[in-house]
Amino acid sequence: MANIPSELFTDILSLLPVLSLIRFRLSSKTLRSLIDSHNFINLHLHNSSNSTLILRHNSDLYQLNFPTLTTVTPLNHPLMCYSNRITLFGSCNGILCISNIADDIAFWNPNIRKHRIIPYLPISPRSESDTSLFAARVHGFGFDPFACDYKLVRISYFVDLQRRNFDSQVRVFSSKTNSWKALPSMPYALCCARTMGVLVENCLHWIVTRKLEPFQPDLIVAFNFEVFQEVPLPEVDNSGSFEIDVAVLGGCLCMIVNYQASKVDVWVMRKYGSRDSWCKLFTLVESSFILPLKSLRPLGYSEDGSKVLLEVDRKKLFWYDFKTGQVVYVQGIPSLNEGMICVESLVPPSLPMDNYRKEIQHKLRCESISNRRDDFLSQGFKLTL
């Protein structure tokens, strides 16, 4: 170590798995100081190529190496489960956002075993004249790079069946301020195939429709933690009825078009925001799978990119081979309700809050210095012409 330049040593260290870094951290104060530093945590996050597959089955969570799907490790999450299920709201930079039946919410990094409980937010009461009913509630978790802040989005959705209209309450939790903020309502009706917003390119995505009327087309809407925008969709086969879902695959936005008994098309948007970059990745037909499927969601690619891991009907995992079109069931893993790819990281859930405090303290010091300077200039100098 003494003969290796410090920058090179840090770069080499940043390529190691989290578990190895945790062990090295205990070996010396110097390594501990380096590994705990904000700069190294960001460098490791940037250089990390290690991912895990998080599986949920009711109130149990498991972690597997991805894409090898080896070493099944039960996870001790920080929430009380009350003999009921745990919900995954999302994953970002190694931090999971989870909730229980009591609406307790935590930001949790299972690799470093640190978590943070989010303040409870009740649903705001509606006016007495409001005849709409609570219909659904969805969440999304991600990182806002413009604010340098981890945020949780909650959309509460209300429907008035008599007047055939809808409304929503949009709330955003800021990790920096440790508080919730109300935003304007979402001008779309939710199609609640999933409760989790899909994070791609620092935006959360849901399936919506414009009106509560029959035969309204489904849309993908993106939320950048401030405003909602529609995502341009590809030209799809309109010869039969279908439903769409949204996912993330290899960092790209992914759209699943389910024609029920006939086929399932899987599309990816190679260049985010560009309609022309949509590409049909593959099609599942009845010769390769028993249709219809209730749901299908791609999770990630194999190490050589020749296969894609599929979560089917929230029950089983399959590898789909692009070249042969064959589908192979993944054996030897726990039962599941859902799966999620999570990158390994050292990012603590409280890091943005700590940075925010430093920013505020620095801002206050600058303002104090500026005020003293202005007072000095106004009292100590006179303009002479």
Side-chain angles (χ1 to χ4, degrees):
M1 176 177 171
N3 297 325
I4 302 176
S6 59
E7 290 187 3
L8 178 59
F9 176 76
T10 301
D11 287 339
I12 295 173
L13 207 63
S14 70
L15 300 174
L16 297 179
V18 170
L19 186 59
S20 299
L21 292 172
I22 291 175
R23 290 171 180 166
F24 290 151
R25 181 181 176 274
L26 300 175
S27 64
S28 73
K29 291 183 179 180
T30 302
L31 281 177
R32 179 175 180 174
S33 177
L34 172 62
I35 293 171
D36 287 351
S37 68
H38 181 60
N39 288 338
F40 182 82
I41 290 173
N42 284 337
L43 179 64
H44 179 265
L45 178 64
H46 180 266
N47 292 342
S48 177
S49 59
N50 299 304
S51 296
T52 60
L53 175 64
I54 305 296
L55 297 180
R56 178 185 69 82
H57 181 244
N58 297 331
S59 61
D60 297 322
L61 294 176
Y62 303 90
Q63 187 178 53
L64 292 79
N65 295 333
F66 185 82
T68 60
L69 303 184
T70 57
T71 316
V72 180
T73 306
L75 296 175
N76 295 317
H77 59 76
L79 296 180
M80 293 287 293
C81 60
Y82 305 101
S83 299
N84 220 303
R85 70 174 187 169
I86 290 293
T87 302
L88 296 173
F89 286 160
S91 167
C92 180
N93 293 342
I95 300 176
L96 293 174
C97 183
I98 61 175
S99 178
N100 61 14
I101 195 172
D103 287 335
D104 301 321
I105 300 175
F107 292 173
W108 170 49
N109 187 331
N111 292 291
I112 61 174
R113 300 179 182 178
K114 292 184 179 181
H115 74 278
R116 174 184 179 184
I117 302 298
I118 304 308
Y120 173 72
L121 177 69
I123 296 178
S124 302
R126 313 285 289 178
S127 64
E128 294 183 1
S129 59
D130 192 343
T131 59
S132 61
L133 301 174
F134 174 74
R137 183 172 56 192
V138 297
H139 293 80
F141 172 65
F143 184 73
D144 182 352
F146 300 102
C148 195
D149 192 7
Y150 288 95
K151 293 183 177 180
L152 174 65
V153 179
R154 190 187 78 179
I155 304 174
S156 303
Y157 177 54
F158 302 85
V159 176
D160 190 328
L161 297 177
Q162 295 179 351
R163 301 174 182 175
R164 298 196 65 81
N165 59 22
F166 58 87
D167 192 17
S168 64
Q169 291 179 358
V170 180
R171 302 291 185 267
V172 177
F173 173 79
S174 164
S175 187
K176 275 187 174 182
T177 63
N178 197 42
S179 62
W180 291 88
K181 174 183 177 182
L183 292 184
S185 62
M186 179 178 69
Y188 301 94
L190 282 168
C191 302
C192 299
R194 287 191 175 272
T195 59
M196 181 181 69
V198 174
L199 183 67
V200 180
E201 292 291 331
N202 304 313
C203 292
L204 292 165
H205 301 79
W206 289 276
I207 302 298
V208 299
T209 187
R210 293 191 185 97
K211 297 180 181 179
L212 284 179
E213 296 178 0
F215 309 112
Q216 283 290 310
D218 289 345
L219 309 168
I220 299 177
V221 69
F223 181 61
N224 65 355
F225 301 102
E226 292 291 339
V227 295
F228 292 92
Q229 289 185 324
E230 294 180 18
V231 175
L233 301 182
E235 293 289 340
V236 300
D237 180 5
N238 290 310
S239 59
S241 62
F242 59 86
E243 295 179 352
I244 69 172
D245 203 351
V246 64
V248 57
L249 180 60
C252 295
L253 189 66
C254 177
M255 183 178 73
I256 303 95
V257 186
N258 191 344
Y259 294 88
Q260 303 302 321
S262 61
K263 64 176 180 176
V264 180
D265 289 337
V266 176
W267 296 72
V268 291
M269 182 181 258
R270 300 293 188 187
K271 182 180 179 181
Y272 186 76
S274 172
R275 181 176 183 176
D276 295 336
S277 70
W278 279 107
C279 171
K280 188 187 294 185
L281 193 62
F282 64 93
T283 298
L284 281 179
V285 294
E286 196 159 10
S287 60
S288 58
F289 228 104
I290 300 176
L291 301 178
L293 299 177
K294 293 180 181 178
S295 69
L296 180 142
R297 191 162 61 109
L299 295 177
Y301 296 107
S302 62
E303 192 168 4
D304 61 0
S306 65
K307 302 175 184 178
V308 61
L309 185 65
L310 306 176
E311 176 200 295
V312 177
D313 290 344
R314 300 195 180 190
K315 292 181 181 180
K316 298 179 180 180
L317 297 179
F318 295 83
W319 282 111
Y320 174 84
D321 190 303
F322 291 116
K323 186 175 181 179
T324 65
Q326 292 183 339
V327 180
V328 178
Y329 173 59
V330 179
Q331 298 181 338
I333 63 171
S335 300
L336 69 129
N337 302 122
E338 62 180 315
M340 178 189 302
I341 302 297
C342 181
V343 66
E344 281 192 1
S345 84
L346 296 164
V347 178
S350 59
L351 185 61
M353 172 68 86
D354 296 339
N355 288 342
Y356 182 65
R357 289 182 181 138
K358 292 178 183 178
E359 290 174 9
I360 291 297
Q361 291 171 359
H362 177 70
K363 183 178 180 181
L364 290 174
R365 285 197 298 268
C366 290
E367 289 179 351
S368 177
I369 293 171
S370 177
N371 290 336
R372 291 199 302 269
R373 181 199 62 195
D374 292 344
D375 291 341
F376 173 76
L377 290 175
S378 62
Q379 295 175 11
F381 286 89
K382 292 182 180 180
L383 184 61
T384 303
L385 297 177

